[in-house]
Each structure stands twice: as C-alpha cells, then as structure tokens.
Amino acid sequence: MSAPGRPRIAYRRRASPLHATRGTVVGAYCAAISVAALMTEHPLLLGSLLATVLCAGAAAGDGPQLLRALRRSAIPLFALSVAVNLLVSRQGLTVFARLGDWGALGQVNLTLEALVCGAVFALRLLVVGLACVLAVCAADPDQLLGSFRRLSPRVALSATLALRLVPVLAADASRLAEAQRCRPGARGRSPGARERLAVLRATVAGALERSLDVAAVLEMRGYPSPRRAARKLGARSRHDLAFAASAGGIALAALACALDGVARFHAYPLVSAPLDPAVVALALALPAIALAPFLDRAGIEP
Amino acid sequence: MSILTFERVSYSYPGAAAPALRDVSLSVDPGEFCVVAGLSGSGKSTLLRAACGLVPHFHGGSFGGTVLTAGLDTRVHSPAEIGAHAGTLLSDPETQVVMASVRAEISFALENRGLAAAAVARSVEETALALGIADLLDRSTDELSGGELQRVALAGALAAGPELVLLDEPTSQLDPVAGDELIWQLRRLNQECDTAVVLVEQRLERCLGAADRVLAMSGGEVVCDRDPGGFLEWAAEHQPALQTPGARVFADAGLRPLPSGVKQARALLRREGLLHDAQELGAGQAGPARAGSGEAGSGEAGPGEAGPGVRRAPVRRRKGPRGSGEAGPVLQMRGVWHELRDGPAILRGVDLRLDGGEAVVLMGRNGAGKSTLLRHAGGLMSPTRGRVQLHGELALLLQNPGDLFVHERVRDEASLDALRELGLEALADRHPRDISGGQRQRLALAVVLGGERAPGAIALDEPTRGMDREAKRRLATWLSARAREGALVLVATHDCEFAVEFATRAVLLARGRVIADGHVGEVLGGGRYFTTESARILGGAAGAVRVEEAAALLRARREEASGVGSLPATGRLAEIDDLAGAGR
C-alpha cells in the first residue's frame, strides 16, 4: 500500500529524459518556461506555452499530476482573476453589463476588455504554476538542495526542513483524518467542515513537534557541519546539455520577442492581439524547442 | 578508554515535575553490545538522547554531570560533532529520514562530513548491501513502508562507520523476521567492525542473545548493570515484568540458570534431558492449521508430540467447523481484493469468516496486508473486488492511538461513561497528549467504543508498539474479557508473545493472501519466526506457545524423568491443556 498521506504532486523518478536530467537543469528548464510566460501577454503565445508545459509533463510521465493540478486550479484561478479584474478595472470600451452603483466600488460596468485582461493574467499564472508543478515532479529535490547548500547553507537548511515536513505533515493529516473516521458517529460518512477543521488544528499543533524531530535528525547527521559538502561525481549527461540548451532557447526566444515587441497585445481600450506571422512562428517554435530534448529516449531508466 | 561515559548525570525536561535521569553513572567500552531495558517512562530514551547530545542541546532543561561520547563532552560539543562518532536512530522512522531518495538519505551524513565523492558512493553501496536494502537505493523515501523506512534510517546512521551506535527501539515497526534480522545485523556490525552498540528495546527476547551486557533502568536510575544471565536473575527477583518469556518458562519450571536466548535454553534443556530433539523438531510444524484461504476451517488439531509417554495432543480441538455458531458470523470477507491503481494488489482474494466471541490475531510480514484488511473490516476502504459483510458495529483502533485525539481535554474526546469503563474518569480534565502511553491507548479505546451501542467487534492495529510488558498484559486481559462477553476481537500485531496471551485463533497473511488459519497453538506453535520464544525453545511441542503451557510441560517432564510427579504424565498434560484453554 502506498504510504498514507503521500503527496500526490511529488518527485517520483521515472523513465524519461527529463527525470534523467540533473535537478538544477530541470529547475532551469521550468524556470525558462515561467519566464517566457511572464514576458509575454499575447494569448496565442501563452496558449502555446500552456500546451508546451502540458506536453512536457506528459512526455515526462507526469501528465496525470499536471492535469490534476490544472483541473483543481484552472477554474478557480480564472474565475477569481476575471471576477476581480471585471469589478476593479475602470478601463475598456465594450460594456456588456451595467451593474449600477456598488457603494465603495462606485459605478460598476463590466467590459469585454477587462474580462480578456483577467483571463490573460490567469493564463500566465496557470503556465507559471504548471511549470512549478512540473519542476516539483521532475527535479530531484536532493540534488537541488545540494546545489542550494553550496550557495547558501541557511536557505538550504530551511528548504530541507520544509520539504521534509510536507510529506510528514501530510501523512499526519491523513492519519488523523482516517482516525476520525473510526469514531463511532463518523463511521460511514464523509467528514464535515468541523471535523476537517479539527484535523487541521491538530496537524498544525503537531507541526512544531515534528519540525523539532526533523531538525534534530538534521543536526545529528551533521547538517550544520562547517565542512563543504563534496561535489558529486559524474559528468553532465547529454540530457543535461539538451535540456539546458532548450531552457536557453526558450528564454532567448521570449527575450527577443519582448525586446522586439513582436507579440504585441493590448487589452485596453480595445482588445488588440494581432496574429503576425512572427507570432505564429514563435508560437510553433516554443513547443518545438521545449519538446525536442524528449526525442532522445536512449539510456533512460527509472 | 570508554566509548561512552556517564558521570553522575541527572536531567529534567523543561517544566517536568520529576527528573528523567537521576545520578546515572556508567561506561560502555568499545565493541560492547549493550541493551537498555526498562518499563515505559523509566528513562531509557532520555539516556540515549543524552548520549548523542540532544539532551541538553535540543531539549533544554536542567542538566547535571558529564557525558563523554567518544571522548567528546556533550555539554561542549554539539550533536553534529558527536554525530561524527556516534550514529543515532530514534524511534519514529518517519522523522528519521530527511531526504527524498534512499541513496541521498544514506549519503547525506557522509557528504555533510565532507567525504570525497568516491568514498561516499562506496559507503552507500556497502551499507545498503550490509543491511539488505540495495534494491531500495533508487526508491523515493515517501513510498517506503514503516519497516523499510526504519532500515533506511538505520543505514543513514551507520553509513559513516561510527564507533558507537545508539538505537531506540529499532524493531518496533518490524515484523518478527525483519526484527531478528536487524538484531543480527547489529551483532555482525558489532563483531566485524568492533562497533559499540547501545540498544533500547522492549522485546528483550529478541536481543538478549546478542548482548554482552544489560542495563536496566527504573525511575531514571540504572538499577541493574550485569551480563544477560545476571540481568535475568535480577529481573526474576526485582522486576518480573522485564523477564523474557524464556526466562519465565525456566523460572516457573524451577530450572536454573535462566537462559538469555533460545539456543542457550535448548542446550540447558538438552543437558537436563528435558528436550527430545528427534520428536520435537517437527512437532509443531505438523500442526494442521489450514493452509490457504477459504472459509474458516474446522481447526482440527493433529496430535502434536508432547514428549515421552504422551498419547494425546493437549491443544484443545474445536467441535465442528469454526464459525458455525447460531448467531452467524460477525465479519465475513468473500474473495476480497484490494488492488492499487498504479501498483500491486494488497489483498488477493481473502476469504475469512469471523464469529462473535473469537479472539483472532492477524499476523504476517510487513506489507502482508494486515492493516489493509483491518481497514476493509472497519469500512475505511472498499474492496476493488469481493465483499465484506459486517453484522453490527466494529470499533477500529488504528496504529497510533494519539491520532484520534483532536480536543484539548480528555472529557471532550469520549463520553464519561466510556471513560469510566476504562478507568480514565480521573483524567477527564487532562490534555490527551499529557497522559502516559498506556492511558492514551485506553483513551483511544474509550473513543472508538463510545458509541450508543456496544460494538460487536473490536479491531486493533499494532496496539503494543512502544508498550512495556505490563501494559501489554493488561491489554491482553481486557481483550480476552471482551471476547468472553461475546465480542469478536481482531488484532493485527507482530508481537507473538502478546498474541498468544489473548488469541484463540491465528490468521497468517502473506502477500495479501491467507496462508494459514487455525488455532493459535497450531499456527504459531511450530514456526521459527511467527512464534513465541517458549515455542521456539520447545520446538512447538504439545502446541505450548504460552509461558504457562511451556512451564507446565517442562514441570511434567521433570517429574516424569524423576518419577516423583504427583500427577501421572497424562494428568499433567491435561493441566497444560486446561491452561491452553484458560489462557485463550
């Protein structure tokens, strides 16, 4: 049986080129996708990046985890972003609903431009969020922490503690929730809000004790030792090089696009997102650059 | 020079009313294998924490005296510095593992100490091979079972090749096979590498055979410091709850010296002419416990050999098929499968019929499916195939009783009636986490039993983890009483000594299948691992699995050998039979 409370979105070594790549390179690859999403507002490019990250996840074998994250976050994210922007934005010319005077918010008119602007913002967040999920699923946290440790031992210590506490507390919460189902009145029914709150409170109450336990182990294993951890053996693999090149390519393409102003997008006063050939080419090039390293599947093992 | 020295060490946790250690002085020599025994709350774990420097550096409190670990004063040197010489494994494996993959976990301490990459890689491989976890090296730590985590955490503590290893109940999560293997791995490490071992353990029968020396603690003091034989003599006189089952058998049978392990016990019995190897080697194994799954069988016992002159099997036979009571089964499983979506099947076609009034122990290796089976019985899981029928209520208590408690006061966790029934009404205003382990266990029982109707079945998952022998005895008595009142009692445990104290029937699981199901004496009587120390000593003769049965059998043999018995041999064996029945 799988460990109780094991986080569903977590690193799992799989037989894929991305998992055969060292953690720092995977981190850089996912960061490049995020940076590209943050540097452009054009819906076509954002859509292309969304497809890219989902395809990369599928090619790495982490598709179900990305889809789960998408299913859980996409609708709330879009709804929240669009609703806030619709209510707050005073720009845009295409009014499709007049809601009258809303007190502190004043006169509220809903515009098509505000809706699109909110949706584009949500799309950006979604791409960044999914890239982070992909990094969590595919980047070996031990390697990442080892690299961090050379840069900043304190940051690495905090990150190690936090990373270890996530599964420990998730397991605690899962056990607590399961135990509550053993109470006489709770058998055979789903827990209500009160029960969930009680479990959450008990988990949080135990977090300090758990973090002390983990910190004690880190201490005993010599984590605070002033000696510099030895660099691990092994040359960079061709997967490392391929994904590093891909990350560089994505970042450069996004940078060039931003500097050149190719992918112009304006939400206000009227929505403008011209579909230049350059934009279309870029929308096709980004997935190609990002997914090319997945073609080399030789020598990978879980 | 000693590898570990305590000089007049006293220690109190912050805010504690009584000190956890009182004026402790001791020394452990390099290469010594030292077992620390004691009841719950006697100060064993604090002793280990003081040895590795967590006391006082991590826990604070008031500390007096000197602890020198590998020559380092723990007041001056940090746990990290001490950790370079002393590997420590605490009792909860979940918090002992700090990295995401097994390989990284084992190499963690080595890298922290600045070892060269090649040396790290070599040590990781060697340690993994020595502990039999080489196949886990590329697994994620969060997908390991409790037993696997325990071994990985041990590997992490041993990888740096420490001169001293400090272990706090490392076998508590392990099945009997893995537990015995771990103890002998420690012994091998001790003998081959001259590593000193200080081992805190509740199940002393597992480790006394490997120990050079035993320290017994009580109330924070070291009250006995002798070799295993001397410790057993001391325990027989001063603290019977610390006696091993083998020693109790010998003491009850009037035999001396008290044995520290099965090998020594058998040698002593052989010397006394009380062991009949040729007959007994296969005696218990010939038991007719049903193999494989299916409806509960008749439990018909074949005649186990009980020694010279014995014509009958003392194990009580059942009349008619088990579960043929008029009331029908309380719990019935028909072809129950539990298959993970992306993984193996945990239960594979389990058929089981359990009736009211039965006290059933569920045994098997780690990962055999015991906990999953209980979760199905309690309705926490649904089978992917097959059917689970439960008639009436089932009170299920999972492994950690503390998980049930989410309130600030004991009285908010369970009704006063339930608290009264379990003798907890005096604790009603205490915080559930401030009461002792045994009290927590009882409170958890009060919680799950506290419904409007008394449950027809009680199921417990590993209830004895961290319990001392006295608390186990009380729990076994309570469970037997519930079974006598007509409730079905179903307990999953690795603790064979506890199992035979209450169970009438044993179900052995392996890889999700029921591989043996029968009377507890039949199933556990002839085993090598899934059996009691008493049965191992006597080779399962006469189905004697409990201390009282084994002692009665030995008394009968002694009297028969000397020809002065007050009862004829068959009469004495009938007494054993009665004991077997009464105990169940």
Side-chain angles (χ1 to χ4, degrees), chain A residues 14-185:
Chain A
R14 299 179 200 280
S16 87
L18 192 61
H19 288 84
T21 305
R22 64 180 62 197
T24 43
V25 177
V26 177
Y29 175 77
C30 295
I33 295 176
S34 301
V35 166
L38 293 173
M39 288 173 75
T40 182
E41 283 185 313
H42 199 290
L44 182 65
L45 291 185
L46 287 174
S48 164
L49 284 168
L50 180 64
T52 299
V53 73
L54 287 173
C55 289
D62 293 316
Q65 289 168 291
L66 263 71
L67 284 177
R68 188 178 296 123
L70 184 70
R71 210 167 46 232
R72 288 195 170 180
S73 60
I75 292 174
L77 198 63
F78 267 89
L80 185 71
S81 176
V82 168
V84 168
N85 206 52
L86 272 176
L87 293 174
V88 170
S89 175
R90 292 285 175 274
Q91 302 176 68
L93 297 177
T94 318
V95 178
F96 63 87
R98 296 183 190 280
L99 302 182
D101 192 357
W102 277 37
L105 284 178
Q107 194 74 25
V108 176
N109 294 330
L110 307 186
T111 65
L112 177 68
E113 289 75 19
L115 189 147
V116 171
C117 187
V120 166
F121 181 71
L123 193 57
R124 279 172 121 179
L125 284 187
L126 203 59
V127 173
V128 173
L130 288 177
C132 291
V133 171
L134 181 61
V136 169
C137 295
D140 185 340
D142 298 330
Q143 286 179 5
L144 273 179
L145 289 171
S147 306
F148 269 134
R149 197 173 166 207
R150 286 189 200 95
L151 300 172
S152 169
R154 280 179 181 277
V155 172
L157 176 62
S158 307
T160 304
L161 198 56
L163 271 182
R164 185 55 206 155
L165 270 180
V166 169
V168 168
L169 292 181
D172 284 353
S174 172
R175 277 204 320 270
L176 283 163
E178 196 176 41
Q180 299 316 305
R181 290 175 63 200
C182 297
R183 284 177 173 267

Side-chain angles (χ1 to χ4, degrees), chain B residues 185-203:
Chain B
Q185 279 164 350
L186 289 173
R187 186 64 185 167
R188 209 177 74 192
L189 180 81
N190 167 257
Q191 290 189 330
E192 290 180 1
C193 305
D194 198 33
T195 305
V197 177
V198 178
L199 170 67
V200 168
E201 186 60 62
Q202 294 281 6
R203 298 184 207 174

